[in-house]
Amino acid sequence: MTILPLHLHFSLTRSPVKPHSLPHAPRLKLTQHARPQVVAGPPENSVEINGTFPAMVSGQLPSGLRRELMPSHVAVIMDGNRRWARMRGLPIGSGYEAGAQALRRIVELCCEWGIRVLTVFVFSSDNWFRPKVETDLLMDLFERVLKYELQHFERENVRVSLIGDTTKLPKSLQELLANSVGTAQKNSRLHLIMAVNYSGQNDVVQACQKIAVKVNDGLIKPNDINKFLVEKELETNCTDYPHPDLLVRTSGELRISNFLLWQLAYTELYFTNSLWPDFGEDEFVEALFSFQKRQRRYGGRNS
């Protein structure tokens, strides 16, 4: 999973992506397309339905989607940016720029449709094994674009949280990320969680280390350790909805790649052949339709 710059302008219109790369390259020209038919959803209630707490009432939903079956937390592995660029004979940076626009569309739709939490795999701790010139480019691009977008987070009432080991990021990026979290902490329309230099395995390890310290200090006993205590120490303790209802992975890969390993225990998985820059409203609606057709039993039987 590779880093994606964030251009979040919240225009709430659907656009196909054309080539777009670094500042020296021409900007993408967007063309407005017709939106699917939408219908108003019923008022939200707080009752758990099919294993999901209904999303907050916000904008209208595409026809056929049911408000009471909308996921509260969607996680995304944004894969296929480099492949998208290579297929078009473009620089790798163009793929990441196009992927940023795809992320913008999904953030817009989550806000419009009342999804409460969106967690995106921005940069995996395993991505450091890629060529340094590529990781340096991605870090620089992420920093410059995020700096530009902070005002939009505040304007659109989007709360931002980070998970992952940010100490290995460039100092200037660390400061910017800390500022983005601080300035949008009270926002409530959407909680955007960015996994940056994140590893699901390391997340579990650091939680165990914190618990071990508490045992060593005599604050808790070994027999006190249970799954709820572990979850309190995981990095996703920043949200009231730490377990994604739906995980979407693009580009046709059928794995979760060290992402939210604990939190995905009962998550519904959706895999699509679409490359991330091509993942738009139609593809998101298709994923949500698939989710709403499933029975979430958590090990039990159908009622």
Side-chain angles (χ1 to χ4, degrees):
M1 287 14 59
T2 50
I3 198 163
L4 287 173
L6 308 180
H7 287 282
L8 308 177
H9 294 290
F10 301 94
S11 58
L12 298 181
T13 58
R14 187 172 171 272
S15 309
V17 179
K18 297 182 180 180
H20 181 16
S21 184
L22 298 175
H24 302 292
R27 304 291 292 179
L28 280 173
K29 182 178 180 182
L30 302 180
T31 305
Q32 185 175 359
H33 278 203
R35 302 269 314 269
Q37 178 185 1
V38 295
V39 294
E44 178 199 21
N45 57 61
S46 58
V47 178
E48 184 178 359
I49 301 176
N50 196 22
T52 303
F53 288 93
M56 291 187 300
V57 172
S58 186
Q60 296 177 316
L61 292 178
S63 178
L65 285 180
R66 298 172 58 185
R67 175 75 64 186
E68 71 274 13
L69 296 182
M70 289 292 285
S72 295
H73 184 170
V74 174
V76 182
I77 299 177
M78 306 176 290
D79 199 11
N81 301 290
R82 294 189 301 173
R83 202 180 316 167
W84 186 92
R86 286 196 298 265
M87 289 172 60
R88 291 160 176 76
L90 299 171
I92 291 177
S94 296
Y96 293 122
E97 290 275 2
Q101 295 201 17
L103 178 58
R104 178 199 308 170
R105 292 196 298 271
I106 299 308
V107 170
E108 292 169 354
L109 293 172
C110 286
C111 287
E112 183 179 359
W113 296 343
I115 293 171
R116 299 179 178 183
V117 183
L118 174 66
T119 300
V120 292
F121 207 175
V122 176
F123 189 84
S124 168
S125 59
D126 298 322
N127 290 148
W128 292 114
F129 293 106
R130 294 186 176 182
K132 187 175 185 301
V133 63
E134 181 177 346
T135 58
D136 286 348
L137 179 150
L138 294 172
M139 291 294 165
D140 179 68
L141 187 60
F142 183 42
E143 179 176 350
R144 288 186 284 110
V145 175
L146 181 60
K147 185 181 300 182
Y148 176 76
E149 294 296 341
L150 286 179
Q151 57 184 317
H152 297 289
F153 289 127
E154 183 67 23
R155 182 182 309 155
E156 297 301 324
N157 198 21
V158 174
R159 176 187 173 191
V160 179
S161 291
L162 300 174
I163 58 176
D165 182 7
T166 60
T167 62
K168 295 184 179 180
L169 303 178
K171 293 295 183 182
S172 56
L173 181 54
Q174 290 183 42
E175 295 175 0
L176 181 61
L177 290 171
N179 182 55
S180 68
V181 172
T183 56
Q185 193 66 26
K186 296 181 179 180
N187 295 345
S188 59
R189 188 180 186 193
L190 172 70
H191 191 177
L192 174 63
I193 302 176
M194 297 185 292
V196 184
N197 194 27
Y198 177 82
S199 160
Q201 293 174 330
N202 290 343
D203 194 2
V204 175
V205 169
Q206 66 84 28
C208 293
Q209 290 172 336
K210 291 179 180 178
I211 294 172
V213 170
K214 292 182 178 180
V215 171
N216 187 62
D217 292 343
L219 300 176
I220 60 175
K221 298 179 180 180
N223 289 339
D224 295 331
I225 300 173
N226 55 36
K227 67 177 183 179
F228 303 106
L229 185 59
V230 174
E231 288 179 356
K232 288 181 180 178
E233 301 297 345
L234 293 172
E235 295 192 70
T236 44
N237 62 11
C238 60
T239 175
D240 293 332
Y241 303 91
H243 306 106
D245 300 301
L246 171 66
L247 169 74
V248 175
R249 177 164 188 161
T250 57
S251 85
E253 302 294 347
L254 304 178
R255 54 181 178 268
I256 57 178
S257 297
N258 200 13
F259 184 45
L260 301 177
L261 298 182
W262 177 286
Q263 297 87 338
L264 293 176
Y266 286 101
T267 298
E268 298 296 326
L269 308 181
Y270 180 84
F271 299 99
T272 174
N273 290 325
S274 297
L275 302 179
W276 175 246
D278 295 325
F279 190 87
E281 183 171 335
D282 290 343
E283 291 77 13
F284 196 19
V285 168
E286 185 176 347
L288 293 172
F289 272 130
S290 176
F291 172 79
Q292 294 195 352
K293 292 177 182 177
R294 304 182 189 185
Q295 289 288 330
R296 306 189 70 195
R297 298 186 294 273
Y298 300 96
R301 296 182 178 180
N302 288 331
S303 56

